[in-house]
């Protein structure tokens, strides 16, 4: 199996829970943020880490999904809505329940896009988000 570019059919992806999609999407989104920051110029490792934490926290992800929501297709909107409505067992102390729900929506969307191999769309949506950094 190619773990960097998994090839799952639509049925396999559809069987995944929204929280499973968010689990994958969390990593995808973080690598996008880390790459964006690292390629943006030379910074100290401490500064890169600090900025990454700021941009991947639930409150920032909640703002990000709100920013791109008007640009989502109907299918993408459905995936993000299912992510938002998922019921995680815990919510971090640093986030409200609403922020965490919206962050999960963003992560589910990016996980779904990644597993669907829609890399151009990931770059398009992340580019819109990165404009706000």
């Amino acid at each position: 199996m190619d773990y960097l570019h998994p090839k799952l059919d639509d049925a396999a992806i559809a069987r995944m829970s929204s929280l499973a999609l968010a689990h994958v999407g969390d990593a995808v989104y973080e690598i996008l943020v880390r790459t964006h920051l690292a390629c943006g110029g030379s910074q100290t490792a401490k500064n890169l880490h600090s900025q990454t934490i700021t941009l991947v926290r639930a409150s920032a992800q909640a703002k990000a999904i709100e920013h791109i929501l008007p640009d989502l297709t109907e299918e993408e909107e459905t995936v993000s809505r299912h992510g938002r409505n998922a019921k995680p067992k815990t919510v971090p102390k640093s986030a409200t329940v609403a922020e965490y729900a919206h962050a999960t929506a963003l992560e589910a969307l990016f996980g779904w896009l990644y597993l669907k191999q829609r890399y151009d769309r990931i770059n398009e949506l992340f580019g819109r988000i990165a404009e706000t950094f």
Side-chain angles (χ1 to χ4, degrees):
M1 174 163 183
D2 179 356
Y3 294 102
L4 191 57
H5 302 99
K7 296 193 185 323
L8 301 173
D9 62 23
D10 289 343
I13 295 169
R15 285 191 301 271
M16 295 179 79
S17 72
S18 293
L19 292 177
L21 293 174
H23 179 72
V24 172
D26 177 50
V28 171
Y29 191 76
E30 184 159 341
I31 200 161
L32 293 167
V33 168
R34 286 173 177 251
T35 303
H36 173 76
L37 293 174
C39 293
S42 59
Q43 298 184 43
T44 64
K46 181 179 178 182
N47 199 15
L48 286 171
H49 178 73
S50 175
Q51 287 185 313
T52 298
I53 296 303
T54 299
L55 295 173
V56 300
R57 68 172 32 123
S59 58
Q61 288 183 350
K63 289 177 186 164
I65 191 72
E66 292 300 324
H67 183 70
I68 63 170
L69 206 52
D71 301 324
L72 299 184
T73 66
E74 188 175 316
E75 189 178 27
E76 292 166 346
E77 196 174 319
T78 297
V79 170
S80 70
R81 185 178 61 253
H82 288 178
R84 186 189 69 224
N85 293 335
K87 301 294 181 218
K89 293 195 185 308
T90 61
V91 174
K93 292 178 186 176
S94 62
T96 67
V97 171
E99 286 172 336
Y100 198 65
H102 284 89
T104 304
L106 180 77
E107 292 172 348
L109 174 62
F110 274 84
W112 180 79
L113 288 169
Y114 173 75
L115 292 172
K116 297 282 262 180
Q117 298 182 337
R118 295 185 182 171
Y119 308 125
D120 289 341
R121 186 62 172 156
I122 289 171
N123 282 316
E124 181 182 342
L125 292 175
F126 185 76
R128 295 263 300 123
I129 293 166
E131 293 169 0
T132 68
F133 294 165

